[in-house]
Amino acid sequence: MLASQRRSRILEEIRRSGAVRVSALVERLGVSDMTVRRDLEVLAQQGQLQKVHGGAVLPGGRSTEEPGFAAKSSRENAEKLAIATAAVRLVEPGMAVGVSAGTTTWTFARLLRDLPDITVVTNSVQVADVFSRRPRTDQTVVLTGGIRTPSEALVGPFAVTAIRSVNLDVMFMGVHGMDVRSGYTTPNLMEAETDRAFVAASRRFVVLADHTKYGVLGISTIADIDAADVLITDSGLADEHQRALRDRVGDLVVVDAAADEEPNENAESETGA
């Protein structure tokens, strides 16, 4: 089992029960005590759990906890890039493309900005900033108004009104969590309403979610799991969860994070990189 798959299993267990013991993980995963402790240390550094004596617990709140953009931008970067690389292949010149807020969609935007003749509608300050740093005359970028959230999304009635006035060829959405029963979820009630408007405005709905999002539950459901025409995730997702999703999603795309490298950037740094 790869380290990413092992850590995904650890997170799934802690999200189910609220806590895990090192001894139980050693038995379930079939690895050494040292390997489990090393995995817990990595996950703790990423802010995904809190280490305690003999194991680990959830890092504070659950369904309403909303990590900020900076905190999330340091997690699963290789997986996010592989997902973004697969997603950008779904875009063609002449399309109107919706892009929601999030660090995975921010990574996607960095690749999307190289495509000609597209219109991008986003409620993400960070995504809009990606395009403003390298403006092109053959691209149009529309940033909705709204109330700013910790994840740098613009939400609320202003955002919803703007989104309802457009028709999108394809919507690319990052999510806080996904689950076969609860669907795609977010910890922010107003963001859920804004995201639902995006789904309604699009002809094709694509979800970008790395393996750590499986089993995470936000307070509000954006859409049912089978609402996605395409779900792009990474190979760190356990096989049984891939099978469950494949039975429900129109097209499940599983990418290998090791297949891609970070995109080249110029000397200008970008917030959240």
Side-chain angles (χ1 to χ4, degrees):
M1 184 183 297
L2 297 174
S4 61
Q5 294 175 308
R6 196 170 59 242
R7 291 165 190 165
S8 178
R9 294 289 294 273
I10 291 172
L11 288 173
E12 289 164 15
E13 178 63 26
I14 198 171
R15 286 161 185 157
R16 275 196 299 268
S17 60
V20 291
R21 297 190 64 82
V22 171
S23 57
L25 292 173
V26 167
E27 182 177 349
R28 287 173 192 161
L29 299 174
V31 295
S32 69
D33 179 281
M34 183 177 296
T35 296
V36 169
R37 291 183 185 279
R38 192 160 49 236
D39 286 341
L40 293 180
E41 181 63 33
V42 170
L43 293 170
Q45 290 175 357
Q46 295 174 349
Q48 300 196 64
L49 55 77
Q50 179 181 344
K51 291 174 63 182
V52 296
H53 180 70
V57 297
L58 285 168
R62 300 192 72 177
S63 62
T64 59
E65 179 188 4
E66 185 174 8
F69 184 90
K72 293 188 293 183
S73 66
S74 63
R75 305 174 185 174
E76 289 75 46
N77 287 335
E79 289 86 348
K80 291 172 184 175
L81 178 58
I83 290 168
T85 300
V88 79
R89 299 188 185 113
L90 302 178
V91 181
E92 300 176 359
M95 280 187 168
V97 180
V99 183
S100 77
T103 52
T104 306
T105 47
W106 176 81
T107 303
F108 167 67
R110 293 164 68 192
L111 303 179
L112 187 63
R113 68 183 169 193
D114 293 328
L115 296 186
D117 191 26
I118 58 172
T119 296
V120 176
V121 180
T122 184
N123 69 324
S124 168
V125 175
Q126 294 289 349
V127 167
D129 186 60
V130 166
F131 290 92
S132 68
R133 288 175 180 269
R134 297 185 192 173
R136 296 176 53 141
T137 58
D138 58 354
Q139 293 177 341
T140 299
V141 180
V142 179
L143 177 63
T144 71
I147 301 168
R148 199 166 183 165
T149 72
S151 62
E152 301 287 345
L154 298 177
V155 301
F158 284 102
V160 170
T161 299
I163 294 164
R164 286 176 176 168
S165 69
V166 299
N167 297 301
L168 303 171
D169 292 299
V170 57
M171 176 65 208
F172 293 91
M173 185 172 292
V175 297
H176 176 76
M178 60 179 174
D179 179 82
V180 170
R181 182 180 64 84
S182 301
Y184 307 105
T185 62
T186 172
N188 188 298
L189 291 169
M190 285 199 296
E191 188 164 6
E193 182 183 10
T194 305
D195 285 347
R196 285 193 287 268
F198 264 130
V199 175
S202 62
R203 296 174 59 190
R204 197 177 191 200
F205 175 36
V206 181
V207 174
L208 313 181
D210 69 73
H211 68 277
T212 66
K213 303 299 178 66
Y214 194 90
V216 176
L217 184 65
I219 191 172
S220 186
T221 295
I222 300 163
D224 292 339
I225 204 75
D226 54 7
D229 297 293
V230 183
L231 168 59
I232 308 177
T233 188
D234 66 272
S235 56
L237 186 64
D239 290 343
E240 62 265 33
H241 298 144
Q242 290 187 33
R243 288 193 293 270
L245 289 170
R246 204 175 296 279
D247 289 340
R248 299 286 300 276
V249 176
D251 184 14
L252 178 67
V253 178
V254 180
V255 298
D256 183 1
D260 293 286
E261 299 177 354
E262 285 289 345
N264 292 327
E265 294 290 337
N266 58 22
E268 179 185 30
S269 64
E270 297 191 21
T271 301

